[in-house]
Amino acid sequence: MKTYNRYSHITFAAIIAMLMAISSCNERKFHITGKITDARDSILYLEHMSLNGPVTADSVRLPEDGSFSFSGKDPVTPEFYRLRIAGQIINIAVDSTETIEVNATWPAMASAYEVKGSYDCSKIKELTLMQMRLQRDINAIAADPTLNIQAVNDSVAKTIDAYKTRVKTDYIYKEPMKAYAYFALFQTISMGYRSMLIFNPRNSEDDVKVFAAVATSWDTFYPQAERGANLHNIAIEGMKNVRIIRNEMAKTINPDVVDTSGIIDIVLKDNRGNVRRLSDLKGKVVLLDFHLFSGDGSADRIMMMRDIYNKYHSRGFEIYQVSVDTDEHFWKTKTAALPWISVRMDDNNTKVLSNYNVQAVPTFFLLDKNVNVVKRDAQIKDVNAEIEALL
């Protein structure tokens, strides 16, 4: 009797182990395989692009032939991953149990790669290459010495609008339920020292509609998708912002605040409570800086500003720094020892940003002795040389 019980127990345990093994083997997975040549001993990361940013899912040290193989659990709804070596990135969309093959050569893997087995990934590659061309075009416009600040802004705006029209027509509105349409919404470009969304629902009614279109489509095809809900939240917040902007624009302009000289004036209180007008600096070369003291890299940027200020202030140079920090006490603490003009923008004077077309901070402008904008940071290669020329 004891012998029978003992072997029955062993048999039952073996059956459970076998069932677990079968279940593991049958688990639905996606696979990403391929080769990254000329990258021996480099670490290739597979990163999941979550709503909170990239999260490492797996990694491998590449062998001589550069071969790799990653796998993961079948996503319920389309998900986004990226292959990364250092700063070189290949974006991947994963839908169900597909096998995606990616082949590239280091160090140009971000632009010169081949992808097989995924329609969405092929479209993402097209969008990526288009975005790279857009960035090159914008850089060329900003570097053109024959264009003034207004001409640069106009040319950049037209170039971006043309890009957006093509992407909306040929990609987003064509198949809004696809992963690549979602990917297109979050493409960015660099303008000077900042990165900005190409489709910006924060201040564009048309861009809000684009986000809403993809959100509605995802509601139909992926009703439980967290990404779809996130798109709706972005669209709703964007609609609120657009209404605020529209109401501000509809207000009658008080002729008393219009400067007939063409100066885009700023009137804000400094860190000691004194009203400081940008127009009062006429006769000086001014660096107009929009800054976030609570942002990453603030301390290094302030050190750079100190060097410039100490070098040129005695020759008629001034810094007029506009903080966008929400905590007034924090701002006063951070600016107490700064020698230049430090003012702060609050919720009552956000039009300062729209007047200067500031999409993100930090950013700065150089103003001549008539307090007119000469160049913005995206156009400047050597800030010292530009200041010297204006002095």
Side-chain angles (χ1 to χ4, degrees), residues 309-364:
Y309 184 86
N310 292 339
K311 187 174 182 179
Y312 297 111
H313 179 64
S314 62
R315 296 171 55 189
F317 172 79
E318 187 57 82
I319 295 177
Y320 188 100
Q321 190 166 56
V322 181
S323 165
V324 297
D325 289 272
T326 56
D327 188 328
E328 183 176 5
H329 177 72
F330 173 81
W331 163 67
K332 286 184 176 180
T333 300
K334 288 293 184 179
T335 60
L338 298 181
W340 53 76
I341 298 170
S342 298
V343 298
R344 176 177 163 272
M345 187 194 73
D346 57 28
D347 292 339
N348 296 320
N349 38 52
T350 55
K351 63 182 180 180
V352 170
L353 296 179
S354 60
N355 287 345
Y356 278 87
N357 192 28
V358 174
Q359 302 293 327
V361 292
T363 189
F364 70 83

Side-chain angles (χ1 to χ4, degrees), residues 31-67:
H31 302 274
I32 303 174
T33 63
K35 291 183 179 181
I36 310 293
T37 57
D38 296 339
R40 179 183 177 182
D41 290 333
S42 296
I43 304 298
L44 176 66
Y45 294 92
L46 175 67
E47 296 175 330
H48 175 222
M49 300 304 296
S50 74
L51 291 176
N52 296 317
V55 178
T56 300
D58 204 348
S59 65
V60 64
R61 185 178 295 277
L62 293 175
E64 177 69 35
D65 67 351
S67 60

Side-chain angles (χ1 to χ4, degrees), residues 138-139 141-145 147 149 152 191-194 285-288 301 304-305 308 317 363-367 373-390:
I138 290 173
N139 292 345
I141 293 169
D144 189 339
L147 301 178
I149 182 68
V152 167
M191 296 286 287
Y193 297 101
R194 68 191 189 280
V285 172
V286 180
L287 190 151
L288 171 60
R301 185 178 175 83
M304 180 196 73
M305 293 287 178
I308 295 173
F317 172 79
T363 189
F364 70 83
F365 300 80
L366 277 183
L367 283 58
V373 174
V374 176
K375 290 184 179 180
R376 71 184 308 158
D377 52 4
Q379 299 173 281
I380 297 172
K381 293 182 179 180
D382 186 338
V383 66
N384 288 280
E386 296 289 350
I387 293 172
E388 287 279 2
L390 293 172

Side-chain angles (χ1 to χ4, degrees), residues 42-323:
S42 296
I43 304 298
L44 176 66
Y45 294 92
L46 175 67
E47 296 175 330
H48 175 222
M49 300 304 296
S50 74
L51 291 176
N52 296 317
V55 178
T56 300
D58 204 348
S59 65
V60 64
R61 185 178 295 277
L62 293 175
E64 177 69 35
D65 67 351
S67 60
F68 66 90
S69 180
F70 296 121
S71 64
K73 185 179 179 181
D74 170 25
V76 177
T77 60
E79 274 300 331
F80 298 88
Y81 290 80
R82 69 183 190 184
L83 298 171
R84 180 178 66 83
I85 299 178
Q88 291 285 305
I89 292 168
I90 297 175
N91 289 293
I92 302 290
V94 174
D95 187 4
S96 75
T97 58
E98 59 196 348
T99 295
I100 303 169
E101 181 181 345
V102 179
N103 295 300
T105 300
W106 177 261
M109 61 178 270
S111 57
Y113 70 92
E114 294 181 353
V115 60
K116 299 177 182 178
S118 170
Y119 173 72
D120 275 304
C121 288
S122 296
K123 290 295 184 180
I124 286 174
K125 179 185 176 182
E126 292 176 16
L127 286 163
T128 298
L129 296 179
M130 287 168 56
Q131 184 272 336
M132 289 180 177
R133 289 193 292 270
L134 173 65
Q135 186 66 67
R136 288 196 294 269
D137 291 344
I138 290 173
N139 292 345
I141 293 169
D144 189 339
T146 66
L147 301 178
N148 59 32
I149 182 68
Q150 188 59 52
V152 167
N153 288 340
D154 290 344
S155 296
V156 168
K158 289 178 181 177
T159 302
I160 293 175
D161 284 344
Y163 180 88
K164 290 167 68 172
T165 298
R166 180 182 177 188
V167 170
K168 283 188 291 186
T169 304
D170 296 344
Y171 294 86
I172 297 176
Y173 288 149
K174 187 175 182 179
E175 294 181 298
M177 79 296 294
K178 293 293 187 179
Y180 74 79
Y182 182 101
F183 174 83
L185 295 177
F186 296 96
Q187 286 191 295
T188 62
I189 52 172
S190 295
M191 296 286 287
Y193 297 101
R194 68 191 189 280
S195 180
M196 57 183 283
L197 285 169
I198 296 174
F199 291 94
N200 190 348
R202 295 177 181 175
N203 56 20
S204 169
E205 187 170 3
D206 287 338
D207 291 354
V208 170
K209 293 177 181 177
V210 178
F211 272 76
V214 177
T216 301
S217 184
W218 276 53
D219 280 346
T220 301
F221 287 86
Y222 318 110
Q224 304 302 319
E226 185 180 7
R227 292 184 183 277
N230 183 56
L231 288 179
H232 274 294
N233 292 335
I234 293 172
I236 291 170
E237 189 64 29
M239 284 187 280
K240 291 179 182 178
N241 292 340
V242 167
R243 281 197 294 270
I244 292 172
I245 293 171
R246 188 188 298 121
N247 291 337
E248 286 294 326
M249 292 176 65
K251 292 179 180 178
T252 302
I253 297 176
N254 181 355
D256 294 335
V257 303
V258 176
D259 191 328
T260 57
S261 68
I263 296 172
I264 308 174
D265 207 2
I266 299 176
V267 184
L268 294 171
K269 288 185 179 181
D270 67 14
N271 49 4
R272 294 175 177 79
N274 301 313
V275 174
R276 306 302 295 265
R277 292 179 176 271
L278 180 62
S279 56
D280 288 342
L281 297 179
K282 192 169 184 178
K284 295 179 180 292
V285 172
V286 180
L287 190 151
L288 171 60
D289 185 52
F290 291 89
H291 191 77
L292 180 67
F293 284 91
S294 59
D296 294 339
S298 172
D300 291 339
R301 185 178 175 83
I302 292 302
M303 289 298 294
M304 180 196 73
M305 293 287 178
R306 277 188 179 275
D307 290 341
I308 295 173
Y309 184 86
N310 292 339
K311 187 174 182 179
Y312 297 111
H313 179 64
S314 62
R315 296 171 55 189
F317 172 79
E318 187 57 82
I319 295 177
Y320 188 100
Q321 190 166 56
V322 181
S323 165

